[in-house]
Amino acid sequence: MTPLLQLDAVTKRFGGLCAVSAARLEVQAGHTHGIIGPNGAGKTTLFNLITGIYTPDEGAIRFEGTNIAGFRPNQIAARGIGRTFQNIRLCRDLTVLDNVRMAYDVRLTSSTWSALLNLPSHRREEQRSIEGSFELLKAFGMDAMAGQLAGGLPYGLQRRLEIARALALKPRLLLLDEPAAGMNSAETLRLMEFLRWVREHFDVTLVLIEHHMKLVMGLCDHITVLDFGVTIADGTPAEIQGNRRVIDAYLGEEVEA
Amino acid sequence: MVGAFACLLLVSLVPLPFIVALLAVMVITAVLGALIERVAYRPLRQAPRVSAIITALGCGLVIQNTTLSLSPYARPMPRLFESRTFEFAGVTLNSLQLFIIGVSGVLMLGLDFVIRKTDWGIALRATASDRATVPLMGVPVNRVISLTFAVGGALAGAAGVLYSQAYPVVGAAMGALIGWKAFVAAVIGGIGSIRGAVLGGYILGVVEVTTVVVLPSTWRDLIAYSLLLVILIFKPNGLLGSAAQQKV
């Protein structure tokens, strides 16, 4: 079976720094895939490469068989890759509903002209977008706050809204960059349940960058470990936990006396 | 200025009804607006904010001086509108003034609706809010920005046509002072707030007219720009602008 997402020897340099070096990653459809590694290992750079913020210097990024390296971010998003951010990037001065709508509108098919002229066909589509966005918020238990400004929501709800916004694209692949950042262990447990629900309910493949090992080990089917931009291990949670190189990367190598 | 000249050129070539001429001019200036964005703004998208201001001033100079070299003298603008004067509750008005107020009102309400409610308006506000992130939500930022400049151009074109009907002399420099006044109105209302700009425009207009009634008319711009300074001191974000709070 061809993987949903496949990174083949992807390299990205910033000046002299090689942030990602010949990285390999294979994400199977339906799996939940974890990416772990020490700070500065190139995990977020990998997400930025997949979503088109950066273009790889070498290598191919295949999504559903198509090489999307060099595509513009909005084209990649429209193909079905959604993402959230380590530091929340909602449009703070837009309402909760509008934040979801801006992503939902990618599904609209009418042209700019019919939008400018406000043709009935376009208005019907717009109505669908509003209803669809509302439905999505309802599923997230956030429909009551649809009219509030996103920037005024408490932190936990902002994280939740960011996931809702990414799901409005109707993605096949959802990239989550440290979804548990800033959460205590009770909140992290709830997040784990929530992500399980998202996975089932929206039929989406998840890739998450995370430091919370409990979350990663409890949720993921497969884990890739990065260190200094290099893929150093790849396997099931059990395999990763016993991997010598991973332990070395996290704790430092033992010095032989 | 381009709007007024385009209108003058159009009606001297073909005798168009006023509304048709207005719409045609809006299309022309919309195309020009999108073109300016493509040539002068897009290459500077990643540059610091100051560069955008400098390129704006530069575009203004290029357009003004191109017009000046083609038409060094001011030209009279034919009246395209049969204007009747009448009195209403002690106020003398003519139908042209009412028409201008009406057209600008329709355009302002239309713009407000589009920005608040439509998908394009949401994409525009989202792009303004976080240009780096919204492409990842599938928003085609380039197209949104092009369209924004086109709409801005169309509205400026309409303003030029209406202005040249009220003050029927068309010259290369006619837009400069109006441009500054528009900027002052936007600052008074709060940059980024469309309703604020409308409010600022009316406040500025009323202040100017009142000044002329009470004080010598040469004081008009002095008072107007002093108002700007006072507002900037007490409300640096304008009347309806919201302060961008930076979390430290």
Side-chain angles (χ1 to χ4, degrees):
Chain A
M1 198 175 79
T2 45
L4 181 68
L5 178 75
Q6 186 180 28
L7 270 67
D8 200 4
V10 168
T11 297
K12 178 67 188 175
R13 294 183 203 90
F14 296 104
L17 176 80
C18 201
V20 172
S21 168
R24 288 171 291 110
L25 177 71
E26 275 192 10
V27 179
Q28 301 296 337
H31 270 192
T32 296
H33 197 115
I35 298 179
I36 61 172
N39 284 322
K43 304 182 295 292
T44 298
T45 307
L46 210 60
F47 271 17
N48 286 340
L49 284 164
I50 297 169
T51 51
I53 293 183
Y54 303 141
T55 308
D57 295 318
E58 286 158 37
I61 301 172
R62 279 187 207 89
F63 179 64
E64 297 180 321
T66 315
N67 186 2
I68 56 170
F71 281 33
R72 276 204 294 272
N74 56 307
Q75 295 171 319
I76 292 172
R79 272 173 179 267
I81 301 183
R83 80 172 276 189
T84 66
F85 303 84
Q86 199 174 333
N87 42 349
I88 299 172
R89 296 292 291 266
L90 290 166
C91 291
R92 300 175 56 84
D93 41 2
L94 263 62
T95 63
V96 169
L97 180 66
D98 285 354
N99 263 287
V100 176
R101 263 186 81 188
M102 81 169 141
Y104 203 100
D105 286 338
V106 173
R107 303 188 208 174
L108 303 190
T109 50
S110 62
S111 70
T112 309
W113 289 111
S114 59
L116 269 182
L117 299 172
N118 206 10
L119 296 180
S121 64
H122 180 76
R123 245 177 290 171
R124 272 197 301 277
E125 275 208 314
E126 226 168 52
Q127 199 52 44
R128 264 209 301 282
S129 160
I130 295 172
E131 281 160 15
S133 305
F134 240 112
E135 230 163 80
L136 191 62
L137 284 174
K138 205 175 237 168
F140 273 68
M142 295 182 74
D143 49 324
M145 51 202 89
Q148 286 181 35
L149 291 187
L153 293 182
Y155 182 80
L157 283 177
Q158 288 195 16
R159 285 232 165 256
R160 194 176 261 252
L161 175 60
E162 232 194 1
I163 295 174
R165 179 175 70 166
L167 285 169
L169 287 168
K170 209 168 175 50
R172 255 95 62 217
L173 180 66
L174 177 59
L175 311 177
L176 302 165
D177 196 346
E178 297 200 20
M183 290 186 180
N184 61 33
S185 37
E187 287 168 330
T188 307
L189 271 177
R190 271 206 298 280
L191 176 74
M192 189 146 87
E193 285 315 306
F194 173 66
L195 290 179
R196 284 208 176 99
W197 171 80
V198 166
R199 189 166 67 179
E200 305 298 316
H201 194 86
F202 294 94
D203 192 24
V204 62
T205 303
L206 301 180
V207 177
L208 56 139
I209 294 176
E210 198 35 83
H211 287 298
H212 264 273
M213 281 307 140
K214 257 195 200 135
L215 180 71
V216 177
M217 296 299 167
L219 198 65
C220 296
D221 305 295
H222 204 95
I223 294 172
T224 299
V225 189
L226 283 183
D227 191 24
F228 292 110
V230 184
T231 310
I232 60 167
D234 193 72
T236 64
E239 285 165 4
I240 295 299
Q241 276 170 324
N243 188 305
R244 186 77 234 161
R245 286 189 68 186
V246 177
I247 296 166
D248 286 346
Y250 268 94
L251 301 177
E253 282 168 57
E254 264 177 59
V255 180
E256 298 280 330
Chain B
M1 183 272 290
V2 174
F5 265 100
C7 185
L8 182 62
L9 197 65
L10 273 177
V11 295
S12 58
L13 291 175
V14 262
L16 292 170
F18 184 54
I19 288 290
V20 179
L22 181 67
L23 290 175
V25 167
M26 284 174 76
V27 170
I28 292 171
T29 50
V31 171
L32 183 67
L35 200 71
I36 289 174
E37 191 274 327
R38 197 60 203 255
V39 174
Y41 285 82
R42 196 172 294 185
L44 297 173
R45 199 67 69 69
Q46 308 303 328
R49 254 224 168 132
V50 187
S51 310
I53 298 172
I54 295 170
T55 202
L57 292 173
C59 288
L61 283 176
V62 167
I63 293 171
Q64 259 185 49
N65 285 290
T66 308
T67 314
L68 198 62
S69 66
L70 295 174
S71 167
Y73 306 108
R75 291 159 191 267
M77 182 78 182
R79 290 268 188 208
L80 301 168
F81 199 84
E82 207 56 56
S83 188
R84 276 177 306 135
T85 308
F86 45 86
E87 219 165 286
F88 178 78
V91 183
T92 315
L93 283 166
N94 64 43
S95 44
L96 176 67
Q97 289 167 328
L98 286 177
F99 181 77
I100 290 175
I101 293 171
V103 169
S104 55
V106 166
L107 289 176
M108 288 187 288
L109 287 176
L111 182 67
D112 191 65
F113 173 80
V114 165
I115 300 258
R116 273 172 186 275
K117 297 286 179 204
T118 66
D119 55 341
W120 178 73
I122 290 171
L124 167 78
R125 284 183 288 133
T127 305
S129 162
D130 190 344
R131 196 202 302 148
T133 307
V134 294
L136 299 164
M137 303 304 137
V139 177
V141 170
N142 277 340
R143 202 178 337 144
V144 169
I145 295 179
S146 290
L147 209 57
T148 307
F149 272 80
V151 168
L155 293 175
V161 173
L162 295 178
Y163 186 88
S164 67
Q165 284 302 300
Y167 307 93
V169 181
V170 177
M174 64 179 278
L177 192 62
I178 312 172
W180 280 114
K181 293 263 168 77
F183 178 68
V184 173
V187 172
I188 290 175
I191 291 279
S193 159
I194 290 166
R195 292 178 176 187
V198 173
L199 180 68
Y202 277 110
I203 290 176
L204 185 63
V206 169
V207 167
E208 284 193 348
V209 173
T210 317
T211 310
V212 175
V213 174
V214 182
L215 297 164
S217 64
T218 43
W219 286 41
R220 194 183 63 177
D221 289 350
L222 173 71
I223 298 289
Y225 288 102
S226 305
L227 176 72
L228 171 69
L229 288 179
V230 171
I231 286 188
L232 280 180
I233 289 168
F234 291 104
K235 291 217 72 167
N237 298 299
L239 296 174
L240 298 187
S242 56
Q245 295 242 326
Q246 199 80 40
K247 209 172 181 175
V248 183

